[in-house]
Amino acid sequence: MTLSDFLDLMERIAPKELAWERDNPGLLIGTERKEIKRVLIALDATPVTVREAIDYGAELLLTHHPLFWNPVQRILPDDPETAAAYQLIRHGVGLFAAHTNLDAAQGGVNDQLSKVLRVLDAQPLPPDALGRIGRVEGFASFGAFAAFVQETLHTTVHVCGDMNAPISNVALIGGAGGSELPSVLAAGAGAFVTGELSHDRALWAQQAGLNVIVAGHYETERVVLEPLARRLQEAANDVQYKVTCLEGACLRGL
């Protein structure tokens, strides 16, 4: 597959038009290798995943989170902000990121999170369709659903709300969804699952009567990696796709 064909394929899977205006998806580091034969898939471009991509012989590293949220004035091998980019450039490995466009896309992060958490009839969450909202069945209470989320995502959840409250309509946004709390409440959700939430947003949810499950940024987004690899593999069998086996949550509970 040529690099151009890969870019076209990713545009079909996660169209750039779905990305937030301030986002930075797409081809972030180019490569002179026009034929793409191996791609490593990860949530982040870190020195660890970059080394794995190099050792794998990948022409491209495909990540969820982009690099360079803010302008950089220099790229240095010992600067944590640019070390990964330095190694990619040095070894001729390209970097492609699909971020909020993959969050919102059909079959993307939040569709996969809905599937894993058994959210039925999941629909795009207004107004920007980034998250999803649907219903859950078979849980006696919000606390029972929170325990299910913790077990299913293999994480330690934090909760804000009434553990004994009945559970029905659930909204979710993988990663950081705190800014969407008003939209979640307006959509009629009684519970909200997201990856991280600031203290002030947790207080807002508590005062608004919205039950919230915070399950980890990494844990709520990694669910997309294997399905994305399968989807890419089915579309082009002349490329080998591998999900990183070294990446893990950078923040862990004790």
Side-chain angles (χ1 to χ4, degrees):
M1 174 186 284
T2 66
L3 177 59
S4 177
D5 288 339
F6 177 84
L7 299 181
D8 289 342
L9 175 57
M10 284 305 304
E11 179 62 22
R12 294 195 296 274
I13 291 174
K16 278 188 180 181
E17 65 183 22
L18 298 179
W20 283 0
E21 184 177 356
R22 63 181 182 272
D23 201 0
N24 186 33
L27 186 65
L28 304 182
I29 296 177
T31 174
E32 294 179 348
R33 308 183 203 181
K34 301 305 179 185
E35 285 292 325
I36 304 300
K37 298 180 179 179
R38 291 188 177 187
V39 176
L40 183 73
I41 304 175
L43 284 183
D44 294 284
T46 67
V48 171
T49 56
V50 167
R51 171 47 57 186
E52 187 179 4
I54 294 168
D55 292 344
Y56 180 53
E59 290 80 21
L60 200 65
L61 175 60
L62 168 60
T63 65
H64 181 44
H65 297 130
L67 285 176
F68 310 132
W69 282 102
N70 301 305
V72 296
Q73 295 180 316
R74 58 190 62 83
I75 296 179
L76 303 174
D78 55 354
D79 184 339
E81 189 173 10
T82 61
Y86 177 91
Q87 291 298 330
L88 286 169
I89 295 169
R90 180 185 177 194
H91 291 274
V93 179
L95 174 65
F96 185 95
H99 191 211
T100 52
N101 48 330
L102 186 61
D103 288 328
Q106 291 185 0
V109 172
N110 290 306
D111 275 346
Q112 296 301 333
L113 186 59
S114 298
K115 183 177 180 180
V116 168
L117 296 183
R118 291 195 233 161
V119 177
L120 305 174
D121 302 322
Q123 301 296 320
L125 180 69
D128 55 23
L130 184 71
R132 297 292 185 266
I133 184 168
R135 59 186 175 83
V136 294
E137 297 178 347
F139 297 97
S141 64
F142 169 68
F145 181 64
F148 166 74
V149 172
Q150 175 166 282
E151 180 181 3
T152 301
L153 296 182
H154 307 289
T155 185
T156 300
V157 303
H158 299 273
V159 297
C160 174
D162 181 0
M163 299 294 280
N164 296 315
I167 183 89
S168 178
N169 292 337
V170 173
L172 51 84
I173 297 178
S179 63
E180 300 299 302
L181 286 178
S183 299
V184 169
L185 196 63
F192 178 46
V193 181
T194 192
E196 61 180 78
L197 197 68
S198 63
H199 181 67
D200 66 303
R201 293 285 81 196
L203 290 176
W204 189 99
Q206 185 180 49
Q207 294 167 19
L210 178 63
N211 299 312
V212 178
I213 300 169
V214 183
H217 198 123
Y218 169 79
E219 288 81 3
T220 55
E221 290 185 334
R222 67 181 174 189
V223 295
V224 79
L225 298 184
E226 291 288 353
L228 177 59
R230 289 194 296 269
R231 190 171 177 182
L232 288 165
Q233 196 70 72
E234 290 169 0
N237 208 30
D238 59 337
V239 180
Q240 291 181 333
Y241 295 94
K242 177 187 176 184
V243 174
T244 176
C245 59
L246 301 178
E247 185 175 55
C250 60
L251 299 176
R252 298 183 183 276
L254 298 178

